[in-house]
Amino acid sequence: MRRAIAILGAGNGGQAFAAYFKFHGHQVRLYDAFSETVDAINKKGFIELTGALNEKIEFHDASVDMARVIDGAEVIIVINPSTHHRKIAAKLAKCLKPNQLIFINPGATFGSFAMKRALADYGYTDDVVIAESNVLLFACRMREIGTVFIGAKKDRILVSAFPAIHLDKIKGLITDIIPEAQFVSSVIATAIDNTNPTVHPLPAILNVGWIESGEQFSFMQKAVSPTLGRYMELMDRERIAVGEKLGLARNVELFDLYQQYEAEYGVYGKQTLCDVFRACDAYTHIYAPTDLYTARYITEDVGMGLVPLVDVGRQIGVDVSKSKLIVDVCEAVLGLDLTHGEHCRNAESLGLAGMSAEQIIRYAQTGER
Amino acid sequence: MRRAIAILGAGNGGQAFAAYFKFHGHQVRLYDAFSETVDAINKKGFIELTGALNEKIEFHDASVDMARVIDGAEVIIVINPSTHHRKIAAKLAKCLKPNQLIFINPGATFGSFAMKRALADYGYTDDVVIAESNVLLFACRMREIGTVFIGAKKDRILVSAFPAIHLDKIKGLITDIIPEAQFVSSVIATAIDNTNPTVHPLPAILNVGWIESGEQFSFMQKAVSPTLGRYMELMDRERIAVGEKLGLARNVELFDLYQQYEAEYGVYGKQTLCDVFRACDAYTHIYAPTDLYTARYITEDVGMGLVPLVDVGRQIGVDVSKSKLIVDVCEAVLGLDLTHGEHCRNAESLGLAGMSAEQIIRYAQTGER
């Protein structure tokens, strides 16, 4: 069924999806905060997808006016680094209608909770239903504005709804635009499924000299040494423990890193995470960042990922000390505040402060505290 | 004046000093716990010094019998990694005489306190005077048993006595064997002057993946990146603060890393520690370790250096949180216990538990609590 879609964010993913959805017959408008980007797309008049998809799609519906972009849209897709979600919410709060579905793609760690709380902070108090995915459907990189290279399209992505009791109502809409969606019980499942916070910050901060040497090296394949692989496994057990405490069933909606790398990349039978990453061909040409102060491995994966995992984990009585230590090291060594303010998520900014595991589970289900 | 010297430890330094002292006319005996080493030296019949010194000295006075080695010695020089000091003390406690001077060379962090406490733990309760140096007089490496390469001999080393009130009594003896000795007010000065704990563990543990990659790289020149140089400076300020709280005067007996690298290596006018190390030619051919589990940068410089600095620092009310974090990271990431047991020094094993800064200063002076 043809759907009316608003996409918020005209980066790699936003442009790719704008073209992709339009190609599949949907009505699409695209918002971005930067008029340079918006003007360039409209002037070009098309978006070209290369790589795994090869299409040139007429497109000139980009705008810096969020109210105009979302007007009449059935679904509003937020495709942004999670560090930008609050800024999006601030504008969205002024023009959102109660019948519109927000779809955060991907949600990162507890993205729907953060969006709900941010909308309220900025004055939107009506009911809202938020969907979120665990990952982006595409692995993609923008070559230039209006030209996006699609490395791969995933076979499936997980999608949840908040409150989860409304999932059935939105399934049809989501399936119409992303048939690959596999629905899970709640946003807790999509949030805990985000393994970037477990996988990225550790080898980044514990190789800071190597990274700042400017040497080019395959990041995950080289930097995750035997020692770091062992430590990452300890961090992963903490992630799993948080998921279990929040009601997810092991091997049903909660998978450890070995299982994820089997499913995602076909890496089987490895005894250590070091061996897993070394065997993962997809990582061969993904090089280390050269500056940790701007790298999303820190700015996004710690502040918006590891920090909420640790903060919520501690609140519900899970030992997350191994992960906490990595947060502390990132903050101290880089001299960054990653646990307070706009650029992080914690129990407070997620609207979860003081809640028990049971209360969080119920909140995810019903939206009621 | 010709002196009777017992050297405990037949490694690089022990062999070099045995030959060096004998060459200068002293009577020297050499102890080691390993009969293979002792037998090889005696069988060879000489110790050859190469490099900065070039001498072949007849020597066959090595033994595994500590009592026989120290019998009649005026000074007993302990030349061992500080991780071995307790083992040495256990044997020494059984045969030491009150008129014999123990000279720990170098003492590492609070080595004399540790030795005094260990001797007492092993039953030696008579008075004892202990001298300690801040560093070894020689930069040296053993090529094979009986052949030691001397990279350089330092112009001066700092020497203190514990209790400090006995310093004048031992000055003549120390000067006779090491004319380069420059005497300082107490073992607090030599202990805090040991910068290895500030300099080594940080770039080691925060480049663990690089180190385990097996790649050969100049350790201090490469691994101390701009970010790590900044953090090292924060750690150095904590070391300085501990020294000040323990009564050392800035720029008299207490020098920061910039000043130390000016004095030791002639590196002037640098604005960052990263630049200091990059400009330090002495480091060009000192390569990174390939295994942190056995590297003295961790096993010795954390457990015997950073841990006592942190533990004593906290006890006397100094903020040592930046250093403490690095101890925590080493322990957690490597899965090692570096803060308890035989292979570390803490306020308890130093005999300083519960003491205020003033009490420690007085103890260093008088030996009385």
Side-chain angles (χ1 to χ4, degrees):
Chain A
M1 186 172 160
R2 180 183 156 98
R3 299 292 192 172
I5 302 171
I7 293 175
L8 308 187
N12 301 308
Q15 291 185 36
F17 273 98
Y20 181 73
F21 289 142
K22 191 157 185 211
F23 175 74
H24 282 93
H26 302 294
Q27 178 200 326
V28 183
R29 293 198 206 106
L30 177 60
Y31 162 84
D32 199 88
F34 293 99
S35 57
E36 296 81 357
T37 307
V38 158
D39 293 345
I41 291 169
N42 290 338
K43 191 176 168 196
K44 196 165 188 172
F46 62 87
I47 296 172
E48 194 170 8
L49 303 180
T50 66
L53 300 175
N54 244 299
E55 300 291 343
K56 191 168 169 178
I57 294 106
E58 190 189 325
F59 195 91
H60 29 63
D61 296 308
S63 170
V64 294
D65 181 347
M66 191 184 289
R68 193 159 70 85
V69 167
I70 75 167
D71 183 40
E74 293 166 278
V75 55
I76 299 164
I77 307 187
V78 178
I79 305 187
N80 267 280
S82 55
T83 43
H84 294 188
H85 286 179
R86 265 190 89 85
K87 272 188 221 155
I88 294 284
K91 293 188 179 175
L92 204 47
K94 295 184 178 61
C95 50
L96 183 67
K97 299 283 187 307
N99 63 330
Q100 293 183 305
L101 173 68
I102 297 173
F103 180 16
I104 313 175
N105 192 3
T109 305
F110 301 127
S112 293
F113 292 155
M115 180 60 71
K116 168 90 173 178
R117 170 66 192 261
L119 287 171
D121 286 348
Y122 291 109
Y124 183 86
T125 50
D126 281 330
D127 282 347
V128 60
V129 177
I130 304 171
E132 70 173 42
S133 69
N134 60 334
V135 289
L136 205 63
L137 182 65
F138 300 127
C140 57
R141 283 284 176 279
M142 188 164 59
R143 298 298 191 209
E144 58 176 62
I145 288 178
T147 305
V148 185
F149 172 78
I150 308 287
K153 187 167 75 68
K154 298 194 172 65
D155 295 334
R156 64 164 181 77
I157 64 171
L158 306 184
V159 177
S160 57
F162 174 63
I165 47 170
H166 295 308
L167 180 62
D168 282 340
K169 290 187 210 163
I170 66 163
K171 274 185 176 170
L173 171 55
I174 297 286
T175 304
D176 280 346
I177 62 173
I178 301 186
E180 297 85 354
Q182 176 179 319
F183 297 97
V184 292
S185 64
S186 87
V187 291
I188 293 171
T190 39
I192 301 295
D193 194 78
N194 174 24
T195 55
N196 288 342
T198 307
V199 164
H200 292 150
L202 173 73
I205 195 65
L206 283 179
N207 285 297
V208 59
W210 200 2
I211 281 169
E212 293 186 345
S213 76
E215 194 183 304
Q216 192 185 59
F217 60 98
S218 301
F219 181 55
M220 297 299 292
Q221 287 191 339
K222 291 278 200 165
V224 184
S225 68
T227 291
L228 289 184
R230 280 193 291 275
Y231 195 80
M232 193 186 289
E233 198 164 324
L234 300 178
M235 291 174 70
D236 200 44
R237 287 182 204 163
E238 294 183 346
R239 182 183 66 84
I240 296 289
V242 172
E244 286 185 315
K245 191 75 184 260
L246 289 175
L248 303 181
R250 261 311 242 133
N251 306 326
V252 177
E253 290 188 327
L254 184 60
F255 300 94
D256 65 29
L257 279 175
Y258 290 96
Q259 294 168 322
Q260 293 216 2
Y261 277 78
E262 277 183 18
E264 292 286 327
Y265 297 107
V267 179
Y268 290 93
K270 301 301 175 190
Q271 299 300 309
T272 72
L273 286 179
C274 174
D275 288 340
V276 166
F277 293 117
R278 287 183 180 171
C280 185
D281 294 336
Y283 285 151
T284 307
H285 298 290
I286 298 184
Y287 301 109
T290 53
D291 174 10
L292 291 185
Y293 296 87
T294 55
R296 285 174 65 180
Y297 291 165
I298 301 292
T299 59
E300 182 169 15
D301 293 334
V302 178
M304 310 300 281
L306 206 50
V307 167
L309 199 70
V310 163
D311 205 39
V312 171
R314 290 208 296 189
Q315 180 172 307
I316 61 175
V318 176
D319 176 4
V320 286
S321 55
K322 302 292 182 190
S323 306
K324 172 70 165 61
L325 181 62
I326 299 309
V327 173
D328 291 346
V329 175
C330 289
E331 287 202 294
V333 170
L334 299 175
L336 298 174
D337 183 350
L338 298 163
T339 49
H340 304 88
E342 291 270 305
H343 298 293
C344 77
R345 289 175 180 165
N346 50 40
E348 179 63 34
S349 68
L350 292 170
L352 303 178
M355 291 167 75
S356 67
E358 292 65 33
Q359 287 171 319
I360 293 171
I361 294 167
R362 196 174 62 236
Y363 178 52
Q365 282 297 314
T366 64
E368 316 266 314
R369 293 153 184 287
Chain B
M1 184 173 161
R2 180 184 154 97
R3 299 292 193 173
I5 301 170
I7 293 175
L8 308 188
N12 301 309
Q15 291 185 35
F17 273 98
Y20 181 72
F21 289 142
K22 193 159 183 208
F23 174 75
H24 282 92
H26 302 293
Q27 177 200 325
V28 184
R29 293 200 206 104
L30 178 60
Y31 162 84
D32 200 86
F34 293 99
S35 56
E36 295 81 359
T37 306
V38 158
D39 292 345
I41 291 170
N42 290 337
K43 191 176 166 194
K44 195 164 188 171
F46 62 86
I47 295 172
E48 194 170 7
L49 303 180
T50 66
L53 300 175
N54 243 299
E55 301 291 343
K56 190 168 169 177
I57 295 106
E58 190 188 325
F59 195 90
H60 29 64
D61 295 310
S63 171
V64 293
D65 182 348
M66 190 184 289
R68 193 159 72 85
V69 167
I70 73 165
D71 183 40
E74 292 166 278
V75 55
I76 299 164
I77 306 186
V78 178
I79 304 185
N80 267 282
S82 56
T83 43
H84 294 190
H85 286 180
R86 265 190 87 85
K87 273 187 219 155
I88 294 284
K91 293 186 180 176
L92 204 48
K94 295 185 178 61
C95 51
L96 183 67
K97 298 284 187 308
N99 63 330
Q100 293 183 305
L101 173 68
I102 297 172
F103 181 15
I104 312 175
N105 193 4
T109 305
F110 301 126
S112 294
F113 292 155
M115 179 62 70
K116 167 92 172 176
R117 170 66 193 261
L119 287 171
D121 285 348
Y122 290 110
Y124 184 87
T125 51
D126 281 330
D127 282 347
V128 61
V129 177
I130 304 171
E132 69 172 44
S133 69
N134 61 334
V135 289
L136 205 63
L137 182 66
F138 300 126
C140 57
R141 282 285 176 280
M142 188 164 60
R143 298 299 192 208
E144 60 176 62
I145 287 178
T147 305
V148 185
F149 172 77
I150 308 287
K153 187 167 76 67
K154 298 194 171 64
D155 294 334
R156 65 163 181 77
I157 64 171
L158 306 184
V159 177
S160 57
F162 174 63
I165 47 171
H166 295 308
L167 181 61
D168 281 339
K169 291 187 206 159
I170 66 164
K171 275 186 176 171
L173 171 54
I174 296 285
T175 305
D176 281 346
I177 62 172
I178 300 185
E180 297 84 353
Q182 177 179 320
F183 297 97
V184 292
S185 65
S186 86
V187 291
I188 293 171
T190 39
I192 301 296
D193 193 79
N194 175 24
T195 55
N196 289 342
T198 307
V199 164
H200 291 151
L202 174 73
I205 195 65
L206 283 179
N207 285 297
V208 59
W210 200 2
I211 281 169
E212 293 187 344
S213 76
E215 194 184 304
Q216 193 186 58
F217 60 98
S218 300
F219 181 55
M220 296 300 292
Q221 287 191 339
K222 291 281 199 161
V224 184
S225 67
T227 291
L228 288 185
R230 280 192 292 274
Y231 196 80
M232 193 186 290
E233 198 164 325
L234 300 178
M235 290 174 69
D236 200 44
R237 286 182 204 163
E238 294 183 346
R239 181 183 67 84
I240 296 290
V242 172
E244 287 186 314
K245 191 75 184 260
L246 289 175
L248 303 181
R250 261 309 242 135
N251 306 326
V252 177
E253 290 188 327
L254 183 60
F255 300 94
D256 65 29
L257 278 175
Y258 290 97
Q259 295 169 320
Q260 293 217 1
Y261 276 79
E262 277 183 19
E264 293 285 326
Y265 298 107
V267 180
Y268 291 94
K270 301 300 175 191
Q271 299 299 308
T272 71
L273 287 178
C274 174
D275 287 340
V276 167
F277 292 117
R278 286 186 181 172
C280 185
D281 295 335
Y283 285 151
T284 307
H285 297 290
I286 298 185
Y287 299 109
T290 54
D291 174 9
L292 291 185
Y293 296 88
T294 56
R296 285 174 64 179
Y297 291 166
I298 302 294
T299 59
E300 182 168 15
D301 293 334
V302 178
M304 310 299 282
L306 206 51
V307 167
L309 200 71
V310 164
D311 205 38
V312 171
R314 290 208 295 188
Q315 181 172 306
I316 61 176
V318 177
D319 176 4
V320 285
S321 56
K322 302 291 183 192
S323 306
K324 171 70 165 64
L325 181 62
I326 299 309
V327 172
D328 291 345
V329 176
C330 289
E331 286 202 294
V333 170
L334 299 174
L336 298 174
D337 183 351
L338 298 163
T339 49
H340 304 88
E342 292 268 308
H343 299 293
C344 78
R345 288 174 179 165
N346 50 40
E348 178 64 33
S349 68
L350 293 170
L352 304 178
M355 291 167 75
S356 68
E358 291 66 32
Q359 288 171 319
I360 293 172
I361 293 167
R362 196 173 64 234
Y363 178 53
Q365 281 298 314
T366 64
E368 315 266 316
R369 291 153 184 288

